[in-house]
Amino acid sequence: MAALPNASHSITLRLHLEVADLGAVGRVTTAIGEHGGAVVAVEAVETSGDRQMVDVTANGRDDEHTTRLQEAVDALEGVHLDRVSDRTFELHREGKLAVTPTVPLRTRDDLSMAYTPGVARVCRTIADHPDQARALTIKGNTVAIVSDGSAVLGLGGIGPVAALPVMEGKAALFKRFAGIDAWPVCIEATTVDDIVRVVEAIAPTYGGINLEDISAPRCFEVERRLKESLDIPVFHDDQHGTAIVVLAALLNALRLVDKPIGEVTVAMSGAGAAGVAVAQLLLHEGVHDIVVADSRGILGPGRDGLEGGKAWLAEEANPSGRDGTLKDALVGADVFIGVSAPGLLEPEDLATMAEDAVVFPLANPDPEVDPIGAGRYAAVVATGRSDYPNQINNVLAFPGVFRGALDAGARGITREMEVAAAHALAEVISPEELSPTAIIPGAFDERVAPAVAEAVRAVAAADAAR
Amino acid sequence: MAALPNASHSITLRLHLEVADLGAVGRVTTAIGEHGGAVVAVEAVETSGDRQMVDVTANGRDDEHTTRLQEAVDALEGVHLDRVSDRTFELHREGKLAVTPTVPLRTRDDLSMAYTPGVARVCRTIADHPDQARALTIKGNTVAIVSDGSAVLGLGGIGPVAALPVMEGKAALFKRFAGIDAWPVCIEATTVDDIVRVVEAIAPTYGGINLEDISAPRCFEVERRLKESLDIPVFHDDQHGTAIVVLAALLNALRLVDKPIGEVTVAMSGAGAAGVAVAQLLLHEGVHDIVVADSRGILGPGRDGLEGGKAWLAEEANPSGRDGTLKDALVGADVFIGVSAPGLLEPEDLATMAEDAVVFPLANPDPEVDPIGAGRYAAVVATGRSDYPNQINNVLAFPGVFRGALDAGARGITREMEVAAAHALAEVISPEELSPTAIIPGAFDERVAPAVAEAVRAVAAADAAR
């Protein structure tokens, strides 16, 4: 599957051209197109004497490809390449977040209210009534995005500093989609004990903890212990954010193929953080038969020495005790969900699935099976990519989940809240909109976060009233 | 010393009045004045039929006083008090900071550059070249304001959550005065080991660490160990911020009374974080004779069992080995600096000081000695309060110090940078401006932060070139 030129590999070429050479811009954009690049912008910057400066922005497929585009332009007659800037790097320069005061600081009176001596009265009130912190500080609207940088995107254990651009981006999404003030907490901590202790220590400032890109199996234990010790919501997005969106997409897909969720059989590839959470949520929702394979095959009675989440999947999710390979798991399955690695399957491998199969190969950026090819064997296909229909994107869940939990002052995020979030997300798609290429809303659908938030808030309120 | 009405105790009274009762507003404001309150605003909100709604805002001296003001208004004929709001609490409601994305997030292309998949390239670059983090993330302009809430203002050990309003305020000042993105890190940690471990763990996100309101003597050890283990500036503001501003004020005060700094004798009250740091910086600047008293008297040969900073002060700062009380220390002293507790001295106690005495009673909000009374015995007086001339305010130092250190990419803040900052701050006051009531710039003097930053940057650059 050849990648298409995309904005994540985009360069801006600053060119010097002769003013009289009216064909120069045409030669440049033609050369880019001939070399497989996509021209996305041309802008005349300034003219001085007989020379003009022009910025040409083009998308490529990868770093090597954008280098070739640049060389092709540089080789053109009458075109002087002054400099090349990478749009993604330009965007990230100096980071992607600002911390801004929301109070005026213009006069001495302002200072005396926002800071000393006036602030002392606010502090004393919180010391006497700690529950007032949510009303009188940032705590009520603030989420920590905690990562040790041990499992970042497809990059693995790149460490806390290198993970910072991801956590900044996530914080930006929290604000953009739910008005939440989120802050990156990239920590130098390796053991479960260390991570738990650091998160417990920094928790006072926050109304919620979003765990992010922490490797399995440590992530399970970290989350379990923090949920136990903290009185604010703790949510490992790689697990539960993914599970919520997958369940929402599955609910709508099964509506299309008219199969009740309690009767489908599911084959899964991947038993990491996302795999375990997806399986748990599906079981909770009434799916009975989920066969999960990791890189060594099906998690079943034939596998020795399984621990933690994998042992649990072998025992609880696989009721008929199946063994074998991922391909064995596919035979007769109604649903395939991949949260594992690129290119594990050929489209033809899906031919053994049940009629009207639902196929979600979610490995990103390269799915477990080519989604276009998969479409020949499946009634509905969804991926993690933004350039195909039905993108399973966590941004559909975490902003609304935390918005609802913060608004309700919830002390935790329960399985019931996750289920409610998934149903609310699925129901954003109206019966009229529902189709095989529209089982889940797009990332910018403004209906999503409020709907998810309201669902989570309602469950929290019911819990509190109980 | 009776406090004056001030903005930190300010209430807004929403009143219902008869439209025809033209004298009502006059009765209200008269009553407030008669009861010692200061009317700062009157605003007609709306009229409906024969009744009008009016907001009257008044400052009082303290909480009890504002309650009396409110009762006085409530007792007036023809005035219905609808509700009272506290301006300071209104200001703090929902906190004082927002986290805002600095990149557009409007289109799928925006997402693919700011977040996945584009962000992966930025992460990989930082993983390969960690020094690029300062350029490609928020790290280069971001400071953590770390507190365990153990010594907050005059309130003592109120804990991390109750300390949050102070740290938010401080973060707001960082942005207002130096464009720095600072973030409150209020931590649940009690031992020196715990605090050090947590700060080391969260350090990757930040370009600098501002320690705040951590009690002595733990603060000394915490700072020493963090300076050793981290490669970013660590600065305990209660110590060094105060010391910088005191030294700057002293330089200008001594200019006025024409005494060389190497020849003055200094009496100090207070041997906590600020006391130790002030004494250290003065010694470094060439003062030879500093006699420091704590609540039990002079730190000298007559005191047993002194440890840490106090032992150091008894040995290093007190060359003639004096003993006795604070009043004994004042005899013949050119300078008094108080960083201790309110009302320890009567103005007359200053009569034994040398001619042209310089007196800085900095306890806040109530100084060691009444500053008006002190003026009868001293040539120059400075306090920590904003309602007297010569306010010794840390906001004159920390924004510029961190601005300079971040801009230089400094790995630490040295004694030389502190001295340079103090001199730069003193020199903001021109010879023409210098007077006994103008030895230090006001908090809003826009010349201050750039001058301090430039001085710190220059020292850092010289260090780097060495």
Side-chain angles (χ1 to χ4, degrees):
Chain A
M1 188 181 55
L4 292 168
N6 60 75
S8 61
H9 293 93
S10 185
I11 53 174
T12 297
L13 307 168
R14 171 146 297 182
L15 307 173
H16 292 180
L17 310 172
E18 301 287 325
V19 168
D21 182 2
L22 299 175
V25 168
R27 291 202 303 281
V28 169
T29 54
T30 301
I32 290 170
E34 282 175 354
H35 285 80
V39 175
V40 293
V42 175
E43 192 187 1
V45 181
E46 64 173 51
T47 304
S48 137
D50 58 353
R51 292 172 71 82
Q52 63 172 331
M53 223 186 279
V54 176
D55 281 350
V56 176
T57 301
N59 294 350
R61 286 189 302 275
D62 51 38
D63 284 352
E64 198 199 333
H65 185 211
T66 55
T67 305
R68 281 212 310 283
L69 296 178
Q70 163 187 343
E71 288 165 356
V73 171
D74 201 22
L76 292 172
E77 196 78 23
V79 172
H80 172 71
L81 176 57
D82 182 35
R83 60 186 165 82
V84 183
S85 57
D86 183 302
R87 275 172 78 206
T88 296
F89 279 78
E90 287 308 311
L91 184 87
H92 286 259
R93 203 159 292 285
E94 298 189 356
K96 304 188 289 298
L97 302 174
V99 180
T100 325
T102 56
V103 296
L105 288 172
R106 283 181 302 264
T107 66
R108 235 166 55 175
D109 278 2
D110 291 343
L111 269 191
S112 74
M113 288 197 288
Y115 203 56
T116 58
V119 69
R121 296 167 56 225
V122 180
C123 294
R124 218 179 295 119
T125 299
I126 298 173
D128 294 342
H129 309 283
D131 55 314
Q132 286 291 304
R134 282 180 193 253
L136 293 171
T137 73
I138 55 172
K139 186 179 179 78
N141 196 46
T142 303
V143 168
I145 304 172
V146 175
S147 183
D148 65 347
S150 59
V152 181
L153 308 175
L155 306 172
I158 57 174
V161 182
L164 187 47
V166 177
M167 307 311 143
E168 290 180 20
K170 186 120 193 173
L173 299 180
F174 263 107
K175 191 55 165 274
R176 165 69 177 79
F177 291 105
I180 290 170
D181 298 299
W183 187 251
V185 179
C186 292
I187 58 175
E188 186 75 54
T190 41
T191 67
V192 168
D193 279 351
D194 281 349
I195 298 172
V196 168
R197 199 177 302 125
V198 171
V199 177
E200 287 174 352
I202 58 111
T205 304
Y206 300 96
I209 305 284
N210 181 109
L211 301 174
E212 191 79 19
D213 291 357
I214 299 177
S215 64
R218 299 179 315 153
C219 60
F220 304 116
E221 175 78 356
V222 167
E223 191 193 38
R224 191 189 61 71
R225 285 174 53 183
L226 288 173
K227 271 176 178 277
E228 211 173 278
S229 64
L230 295 178
D231 63 353
I232 54 175
V234 176
F235 184 82
H236 184 204
D237 187 47
D238 305 276
Q239 290 185 64
H240 311 299
T242 308
I244 289 169
V245 184
V246 168
L247 174 55
L250 184 61
L251 288 169
N252 278 340
L254 295 180
R255 217 165 277 167
L256 274 175
V257 298
D258 201 22
K259 295 184 185 179
I261 193 163
E263 294 172 18
V264 296
T265 62
V266 178
M268 283 182 58
S269 170
V276 172
V278 167
Q280 284 179 331
L281 197 58
L282 295 186
L283 283 174
H284 185 270
E285 188 66 9
V287 179
H288 292 296
D289 191 348
I290 307 178
V291 178
V292 184
D294 66 6
S295 58
R296 297 172 50 211
I298 290 175
L299 301 172
R303 289 283 294 276
D304 292 334
L306 294 177
E307 289 186 355
K310 292 192 179 187
W312 182 88
L313 288 170
E315 281 166 33
E316 300 294 322
N318 184 353
S320 45
R322 287 167 71 175
D323 276 315
T325 66
L326 172 58
K327 288 177 194 170
D328 295 326
L330 286 175
V331 177
D334 298 289
V335 177
F336 167 72
I337 299 170
V339 279
S340 50
L344 298 182
L345 298 170
E346 294 301 322
E348 303 74 51
D349 296 329
L350 306 174
T352 62
M353 291 183 70
E355 207 175 335
D356 283 340
V358 172
V359 172
F360 294 175
L362 305 178
N364 210 3
D366 299 318
E368 282 82 355
V369 57
D370 173 42
I372 304 293
R376 295 199 304 272
Y377 300 90
V380 185
V381 178
T383 71
R385 293 180 60 118
S386 62
D387 48 359
Y388 293 103
N390 297 332
Q391 187 190 13
I392 305 297
N393 188 335
N394 287 25
V395 82
L396 297 169
F398 68 81
V401 167
F402 273 99
R403 179 76 276 155
L406 289 173
D407 288 351
R411 297 166 64 94
I413 289 166
T414 62
R415 186 58 43 91
E416 286 67 31
M417 293 179 195
E418 293 167 18
V419 170
H423 281 270
L425 176 55
E427 284 159 18
V428 165
I429 300 288
S430 68
E432 295 71 38
E433 290 170 284
L434 187 63
S435 84
T437 54
I439 59 168
I440 195 87
F444 289 97
D445 191 321
E446 301 290 347
R447 299 171 295 180
V448 169
V452 172
E454 183 46 41
V456 170
R457 194 161 37 222
V459 175
D463 287 351
R466 206 170 286 156
Chain B
M1 188 183 56
L4 291 168
N6 59 76
S8 60
H9 293 92
S10 186
I11 52 175
T12 296
L13 306 168
R14 171 147 297 185
L15 306 174
H16 292 179
L17 310 173
E18 301 286 327
V19 168
D21 182 1
L22 300 175
V25 168
R27 293 202 302 282
V28 170
T29 55
T30 302
I32 290 170
E34 283 175 353
H35 285 79
V39 175
V40 294
V42 175
E43 192 186 1
V45 181
E46 64 172 54
T47 303
S48 138
D50 58 353
R51 293 172 70 83
Q52 63 173 330
M53 223 187 278
V54 176
D55 280 350
V56 176
T57 302
N59 295 349
R61 287 190 301 275
D62 51 38
D63 283 353
E64 198 199 332
H65 185 212
T66 54
T67 305
R68 281 214 309 284
L69 296 178
Q70 165 188 340
E71 288 164 357
V73 170
D74 202 20
L76 292 172
E77 196 78 24
V79 172
H80 172 70
L81 177 56
D82 182 35
R83 58 185 166 84
V84 183
S85 57
D86 184 302
R87 277 172 76 207
T88 297
F89 279 78
E90 287 308 311
L91 184 87
H92 287 258
R93 203 159 291 286
E94 298 189 357
K96 304 187 290 298
L97 301 174
V99 180
T100 326
T102 57
V103 296
L105 288 172
R106 283 182 300 265
T107 65
R108 233 165 57 173
D109 277 2
D110 291 342
L111 268 191
S112 73
M113 289 197 287
Y115 202 56
T116 57
V119 68
R121 297 167 56 224
V122 179
C123 294
R124 219 178 295 120
T125 300
I126 298 173
D128 294 342
H129 309 282
D131 55 315
Q132 286 291 303
R134 282 181 193 256
L136 293 172
T137 73
I138 56 172
K139 186 179 178 77
N141 196 46
T142 302
V143 168
I145 304 173
V146 175
S147 183
D148 63 349
S150 59
V152 181
L153 307 175
L155 306 173
I158 57 174
V161 182
L164 186 47
V166 178
M167 306 313 142
E168 289 181 20
K170 185 119 193 173
L173 299 179
F174 263 107
K175 192 53 165 277
R176 166 68 178 78
F177 291 105
I180 290 170
D181 298 300
W183 187 252
V185 179
C186 292
I187 58 173
E188 186 76 53
T190 40
T191 67
V192 168
D193 280 352
D194 281 349
I195 298 172
V196 168
R197 198 176 305 125
V198 171
V199 177
E200 286 173 353
I202 59 110
T205 304
Y206 300 96
I209 305 284
N210 181 108
L211 301 174
E212 193 78 19
D213 292 356
I214 298 177
S215 64
R218 298 179 314 154
C219 61
F220 304 115
E221 175 77 356
V222 166
E223 191 193 38
R224 190 188 62 70
R225 284 174 52 183
L226 289 173
K227 271 175 178 276
E228 213 172 277
S229 63
L230 296 178
D231 63 353
I232 55 175
V234 176
F235 184 81
H236 184 204
D237 187 46
D238 305 275
Q239 290 185 63
H240 311 299
T242 308
I244 289 168
V245 184
V246 167
L247 174 56
L250 185 61
L251 289 168
N252 277 342
L254 295 179
R255 217 166 275 166
L256 272 176
V257 299
D258 202 21
K259 295 182 183 179
I261 195 164
E263 294 172 17
V264 295
T265 61
V266 177
M268 283 183 59
S269 171
V276 171
V278 168
Q280 283 178 330
L281 196 59
L282 295 186
L283 284 172
H284 185 270
E285 188 65 10
V287 179
H288 292 295
D289 192 348
I290 307 179
V291 178
V292 183
D294 67 7
S295 59
R296 297 173 51 211
I298 290 174
L299 301 171
R303 291 283 294 275
D304 293 334
L306 295 177
E307 289 184 355
K310 292 193 178 187
W312 181 87
L313 289 169
E315 280 165 33
E316 301 294 322
N318 183 353
S320 45
R322 286 166 73 175
D323 276 316
T325 66
L326 172 58
K327 288 177 194 172
D328 294 327
L330 286 175
V331 178
D334 297 291
V335 177
F336 167 72
I337 298 169
V339 279
S340 50
L344 298 181
L345 298 170
E346 294 301 321
E348 302 75 52
D349 296 329
L350 306 174
T352 61
M353 291 183 71
E355 208 174 334
D356 284 340
V358 172
V359 171
F360 293 174
L362 305 178
N364 209 4
D366 299 318
E368 283 82 355
V369 57
D370 173 42
I372 304 293
R376 296 199 302 272
Y377 300 91
V380 185
V381 178
T383 73
R385 293 180 61 117
S386 63
D387 48 359
Y388 293 103
N390 297 331
Q391 188 191 14
I392 304 298
N393 187 335
N394 286 26
V395 82
L396 297 169
F398 69 80
V401 167
F402 273 99
R403 180 75 277 155
L406 289 174
D407 289 350
R411 298 166 64 93
I413 289 167
T414 62
R415 187 59 42 92
E416 287 67 32
M417 293 179 195
E418 293 168 18
V419 170
H423 280 271
L425 176 55
E427 284 159 20
V428 165
I429 301 288
S430 69
E432 296 71 38
E433 288 171 285
L434 187 63
S435 83
T437 54
I439 59 169
I440 195 88
F444 289 96
D445 190 321
E446 300 289 347
R447 300 170 296 178
V448 168
V452 171
E454 182 47 40
V456 170
R457 195 162 37 222
V459 175
D463 286 352
R466 207 172 283 156

